[in-house]
Amino acid sequence: QKEVEQNSGPLSVPEGAIASLNCTYSDRGSQSFFWYRQYSGKSPELIMSIYSNGDKEDGRFTAQLNKASQYVSLLIRDSQPSDSATYLCAVNMSGGSQGNLIFGKGTKLSVKP
Amino acid sequence: KAGVTQTPRYLIKTRGQQVTLSCSPISGHRSVSWYQQTPGQGLQFLFEYFSETQRNKGNFPGRFSGRQFSNSRSEMNVSTLELGDSALYLCASSLAGTAYGYTFGSGTRLTVV
């Protein structure tokens, strides 16, 4: 069973702090990794993609990938109340462009003013 | 540029009925995937279509089916509805497949009574 695991939270951080979200996956051959943000009552929105080991930065967001340890993380610097949402980790399981995109159940983040 | 359009937004059906949901992907996107989202199970993959062919299928019963037309629009059908089919059904499109990330539509909220 190919799985993506996330801590369900809620993760509560004060405004301005760094929020750290983690994700592990079961399929060692996975190739593409994504972070989605989902506000309550809305559909998921792609915020980061990462394909190779290391860090990828985009504004206040940094995605980190470690394929040997099979984990992906998302750091949100200078967290804002508007970042409060559920963050979904998604992994393309071993199929190249044709693989299944498997989602974790998400981590709920709450940023307190 | 228009996003992914799903119709209808809301649907109430009776147990035993069937339902058809529609999805129009972003112009130029040839890959369309369908997901079921429930509070308990999160986002679960139903199937993916690319150029009118089903490339991948999730672990759902045969009551769930789909198709894709030559203009990349897609439909999914659920026959003999059960109470447990109540969920948010999300369609997502991608240029060529899961390696490139998805853009989600707003979803169809199906309630089975």
Side-chain angles (χ1 to χ4, degrees):
Chain A
Q1 181 78 1
K2 297 180 178 179
E3 294 182 336
V4 176
E5 300 285 344
Q6 294 181 256
N7 187 324
S8 61
L11 174 65
S12 184
V13 300
E15 184 175 355
I18 295 176
S20 178
L21 306 162
N22 300 311
C23 168
T24 59
Y25 58 94
S26 62
D27 189 347
R28 186 170 288 277
S30 298
Q31 302 172 17
S32 311
F33 308 85
F34 307 90
W35 283 98
Y36 284 80
R37 177 176 62 199
Q38 188 173 25
Y39 292 113
S40 180
K42 301 292 186 182
S43 59
E45 171 193 12
L46 179 64
I47 55 172
M48 289 289 286
S49 60
I50 187 166
Y51 301 95
S52 53
N53 281 329
D55 294 0
K56 179 182 178 183
E57 188 175 316
D58 184 359
R60 297 187 295 111
F61 298 97
T62 299
Q64 299 175 316
L65 174 61
N66 184 322
K67 289 185 178 180
S69 301
Q70 295 175 238
Y71 86 80
V72 197
S73 64
L74 179 71
L75 301 178
I76 306 174
R77 291 182 300 281
D78 187 23
S79 294
Q80 301 296 310
S82 59
D83 295 325
S84 298
T86 296
Y87 289 80
L88 301 165
C89 173
V91 179
N92 178 23
M93 297 280 185
S94 296
S97 65
Q98 300 182 34
N100 293 347
L101 194 61
I102 306 299
F103 283 80
K105 292 187 178 181
T107 298
K108 188 169 184 177
L109 172 66
S110 178
V111 181
K112 304 294 186 184
Chain B
K1 188 176 184 182
V4 180
T5 303
Q6 289 188 248
T7 56
R9 289 295 308 276
Y10 302 93
L11 209 47
I12 300 176
K13 288 287 188 178
T14 303
R15 221 169 13 166
Q17 286 186 312
Q18 75 165 17
V19 67
T20 299
L21 311 181
S22 180
C23 171
S24 293
I26 291 173
S27 178
H29 283 194
R30 298 166 65 190
S31 170
V32 174
S33 288
W34 288 88
Y35 285 83
Q36 181 195 68
Q37 188 173 34
T38 58
Q41 297 300 316
L43 270 163
Q44 292 188 285
F45 173 74
L46 281 155
F47 25 68
E48 185 220 0
Y49 286 88
F50 183 84
S51 293
E52 301 179 66
T53 300
Q54 185 182 90
R55 286 201 301 198
N56 289 291
K57 190 176 190 306
N59 295 323
F60 278 81
R63 300 186 296 107
F64 292 80
S65 63
R67 59 178 174 168
Q68 186 180 32
F69 302 96
S70 58
N71 62 357
S72 293
R73 191 177 71 85
S74 178
E75 289 181 347
M76 70 162 279
N77 185 276
V78 188
S79 63
T80 319
L81 284 166
E82 301 177 358
L83 296 178
D85 296 333
S86 296
L88 179 66
Y89 289 88
L90 289 160
C91 168
S93 76
S94 170
L95 202 58
T98 54
Y100 306 95
Y102 284 143
T103 300
F104 281 88
S106 298
T108 294
R109 172 75 61 184
L110 172 65
T111 302
V112 182
V113 297

